Amino acid sequence: MSSVSFPHLRRSLLATTAIAGACALLALVSPSYARASTTPEVAATVEQDSAIRPFKVNIPEEAVADLRKRVLATRWPDRETVGDQSQGVQLAKLQELVAYWGTQYDWRKVEKQLNALPMFVTKIDGLDIQFIHVKSKHPNAMPLLLTHGWPGSILELTKAIAPLTDPTAHGGRAEDAFDVIIPSMPGYGFSQRPTSGGWNPDRIGLAWDVLMKRLGYKRYVSQGGDWGSVIADAMGRQAPSGLLGIHVNMPATVPADVARAISDGTPPPAGLSTSETEAYESMKTFFSKNAAYGAMMGTRPQTVGYGLSDSPAGLAAWMFDKFNQWTYSGGDAGKSLTKDEMLDGISLYWLTNSAVSSARLYWENNNNNFNAVEQKTRDIKIPVAVTVFPGEIYKAPKTWTERAYPNLVYFNEVDKGGHFAAWEEPELFAKELRAAFRTLR
């Protein structure tokens, strides 16, 4: 999940961090890929830095064995004192998942699956960015940039590759085919971890455009959920040449007056429709009961990271909690994702030691990513498409979406799937993208 604003008890703290985030944005220097030089030595370095290099995953066996050893040595707390998930992940549920992790789970399976895909790495703005790049066999395929979120990774998008690149094998038409590019965000997975501040969604958006141009694409579209939605929105505001449009499945549509009522703990504005009231109640519940993780990572990512980097069970609980809450599963993620799929994602964070570096993105962008005003959605002039999945944190009403995005060209509500749309429902996700971008080809 992307960054959030929190209720009235935290407003003063958030005001401080929001100012800090704004100052960080203003202080960004020109990215290295934009610098020019006439010296042969620097020119050679730039050429080397822009190289696209093959990439394979090869986690050392010692790291895999150490993970298993740590998992089996977990020191457990006492169980929760309630009969539901209101205090967090329930002990018995987590113990079941972690026991499987330590005795039956096989990391090498997902490593093999990843290595069967064309993966590469290239340096952009000083960081090595790892990405998947699958080209369609169909002619004139549309280049599609997919961006993951937290607690996701490139793994949450891989099941959608086949229906997107080979639509004829999945109920679609050849003319709906995409070339698919899936980068790991800086500090996530196999991309390099930033060693200084400033890597916020705007900067990532600029880097993603460099990536697409470096791959030779002059025209492309961008899609995202969670942080990926925030980055797609940022790219929409930037409107780089060749970006035809964006699609998001976690849109920023909440009006300012509704966001203010949620933050202040006051009644909602008068005159809300049924769907708007439902969205308000979902947001109210989220901020009052389920957003503490964002407060921690948005204000103290380093502090929370020590435990997440030292305890596999702690990391699993941190992520499993969101799998349960944000899948379309009624609170039981196992109905939407397999144990192996969830542990693939958790293991990726552990084996790349990216719990802290991924959390820092919240610190870089500690604001309300559901708020249309804070996300400046009305500054997005290029075409925007939105799909609302029923298990999302909130179901964006069409009225709010039309108000938020002035050039909304596609809006659809589907009947299954949640926050991790491509992971939970890859066929439906691909179908939505075909429809959303059809008029932009």
Side-chain angles (χ1 to χ4, degrees), residues 106 131 146 189 194 202-203 207 209-211 235 239 261 269 273 283 298 311 331 350 353 438:
D106 184 2
F131 62 97
L146 298 176
D202 291 271
R203 191 171 180 181
D209 182 61
V210 172
L211 174 62
M235 296 183 74
S273 68
M283 286 278 87
S311 169
W350 177 266
N353 195 19
R438 189 164 288 144

Side-chain angles (χ1 to χ4, degrees), residues 89-225:
V89 176
Q90 293 170 294
L91 178 64
K93 291 286 188 180
L94 186 63
Q95 285 181 325
E96 179 185 355
L97 182 69
V98 169
Y100 179 83
W101 198 10
T103 58
Q104 299 180 59
Y105 173 76
D106 184 2
W107 164 259
R108 298 302 178 192
K109 287 184 179 179
V110 71
E111 187 174 90
K112 183 178 180 180
Q113 292 168 6
L114 282 172
N115 286 335
L117 296 168
M119 295 194 296
F120 306 90
V121 65
T122 191
K123 190 174 291 295
I124 302 176
D125 197 3
L127 294 184
D128 275 340
I129 301 297
Q130 179 266 343
F131 62 97
I132 299 169
H133 184 197
V134 181
K135 295 183 178 181
S136 174
K137 66 180 180 181
H138 299 292
N140 303 315
M142 173 179 274
L144 169 64
L145 173 68
L146 298 176
T147 306
H148 65 85
W150 183 94
S153 67
I154 57 173
L155 292 175
E156 71 177 282
L157 299 168
T158 55
K159 291 198 292 185
I161 292 175
L164 288 168
T165 58
D166 189 12
T168 56
H170 296 266
R173 308 176 304 171
E175 54 266 36
D176 290 328
F178 294 95
D179 286 355
V180 172
I181 301 89
I182 309 174
S184 294
M185 291 191 294
Y188 284 72
F190 303 111
S191 282
Q192 191 172 352
R193 296 190 290 269
T195 57
S196 59
W199 276 99
N200 55 26
D202 291 271
R203 191 171 180 181
I204 295 173
L206 293 172
W208 279 187
D209 182 61
V210 172
L211 174 62
M212 296 302 285
K213 302 287 174 53
R214 188 171 293 176
L215 292 174
Y217 293 121
K218 296 180 180 179
R219 301 167 70 253
Y220 68 97
V221 292
S222 178
Q223 195 283 333

Side-chain angles (χ1 to χ4, degrees), residues 118-369:
M119 295 194 296
F120 306 90
V121 65
T122 191
K123 190 174 291 295
I124 302 176
D125 197 3
L127 294 184
D128 275 340
I129 301 297
Q130 179 266 343
F131 62 97
I132 299 169
H133 184 197
V134 181
K135 295 183 178 181
S136 174
K137 66 180 180 181
H138 299 292
N140 303 315
M142 173 179 274
L144 169 64
L145 173 68
L146 298 176
T147 306
H148 65 85
W150 183 94
S153 67
I154 57 173
L155 292 175
E156 71 177 282
L157 299 168
T158 55
K159 291 198 292 185
I161 292 175
L164 288 168
T165 58
D166 189 12
T168 56
H170 296 266
R173 308 176 304 171
E175 54 266 36
D176 290 328
F178 294 95
D179 286 355
V180 172
I181 301 89
I182 309 174
S184 294
M185 291 191 294
Y188 284 72
F190 303 111
S191 282
Q192 191 172 352
R193 296 190 290 269
T195 57
S196 59
W199 276 99
N200 55 26
D202 291 271
R203 191 171 180 181
I204 295 173
L206 293 172
W208 279 187
D209 182 61
V210 172
L211 174 62
M212 296 302 285
K213 302 287 174 53
R214 188 171 293 176
L215 292 174
Y217 293 121
K218 296 180 180 179
R219 301 167 70 253
Y220 68 97
V221 292
S222 178
Q223 195 283 333
D226 193 86
W227 279 117
S229 290
V230 181
I231 292 166
D233 278 347
M235 296 183 74
R237 292 192 302 271
Q238 294 161 356
S241 63
L243 179 59
L244 303 177
I246 64 171
H247 175 278
V248 293
N249 51 277
M250 193 192 80
T253 74
V254 179
D257 57 344
V258 174
R260 191 178 307 112
I262 294 170
S263 177
D264 294 344
T266 57
L272 296 184
S273 68
T274 301
S275 61
E276 291 169 345
T277 300
E278 181 182 343
Y280 164 83
E281 292 295 340
S282 295
M283 286 278 87
K284 180 180 176 182
T285 298
F286 172 74
F287 284 117
S288 63
K289 297 183 178 180
N290 299 324
Y293 77 98
M296 291 290 291
M297 297 199 293
T299 58
R300 286 295 185 270
Q302 193 71 23
T303 300
V304 72
Y306 293 115
L308 299 180
S309 299
D310 189 60
S311 169
L315 179 64
W318 196 245
M319 297 174 67
F320 185 46
D321 185 56
K322 300 310 163 195
F323 294 159
N324 282 329
Q325 287 186 330
W326 297 343
T327 50
Y328 187 51
S329 63
D332 181 1
K335 295 178 180 179
S336 295
L337 302 169
T338 68
K339 282 180 181 159
D340 283 309
E341 287 172 337
M342 289 186 279
L343 290 171
D344 288 343
I346 298 167
S347 298
L348 177 59
Y349 275 77
W350 177 266
L351 294 169
T352 58
N353 195 19
S354 53
V356 174
S357 55
S358 61
R360 290 192 188 110
L361 184 54
Y362 288 74
W363 185 87
E364 293 283 357
N365 188 64
N366 190 357
N367 64 7
N368 188 329
N369 290 328

Side-chain angles (χ1 to χ4, degrees), residues 29 62 79 87 150 171 178 193 196 199 256 292 389 405-406 410 417:
V29 298
E62 312 88 81
R79 71 176 300 276
Q87 293 182 351
W150 183 94
F178 294 95
R193 296 190 290 269
S196 59
W199 276 99
F389 289 83
Y405 296 97
Y410 181 86

